[in-house]
Amino acid sequence: MDSWYKKCMPKIKDVQPHIKEIVSSLKNAEGVKSMHIWGSYSKNIDKPNTRIKDIDILARTSFHSVDLLAIDNK
């Protein structure tokens, strides 16, 4: 029997339109070269009624880790 919190998790079909929108807007951000999605979402993308607990998105950018040292709260 599924626990109550598993029943509350969204299904693939519930989040799919939002994922497409998010990835599309992130791809248009300056410096983003490509996007990769994995986790429960990507493992079960062909099963629309599967409940998922995570969506991992990786953006490949033109930034280098040393570039992040120059960023502060100001």
Side-chain angles (χ1 to χ4, degrees):
M1 186 165 150
D2 285 336
S3 58
W4 66 269
Y5 65 89
K6 285 187 181 177
K7 292 178 184 175
C8 293
M9 292 180 187
K11 294 180 180 181
I12 294 282
K13 66 182 179 184
D14 298 330
V15 298
Q16 201 157 28
H18 303 289
I19 295 297
K20 289 178 181 180
E21 182 180 321
I22 291 168
V23 169
S24 177
S25 65
L26 289 173
K27 276 183 168 179
N28 293 328
E30 186 177 340
V32 175
K33 295 179 178 179
S34 63
M35 303 290 300
H36 304 278
I37 297 178
W38 73 96
S40 298
Y41 179 81
S42 65
K43 288 179 186 174
N44 297 294
I45 199 163
D46 295 328
K47 302 172 193 167
N49 289 316
T50 301
R51 297 202 180 268
I52 57 171
K53 63 179 180 177
D54 61 347
I55 302 168
D56 302 307
I57 300 174
L58 175 69
R60 184 170 176 231
T61 68
S62 58
F63 298 110
H64 296 284
S65 59
V66 293
D67 294 337
L68 298 175
L69 296 175
I71 299 173
D72 62 15
N73 290 334
K74 297 178 184 176

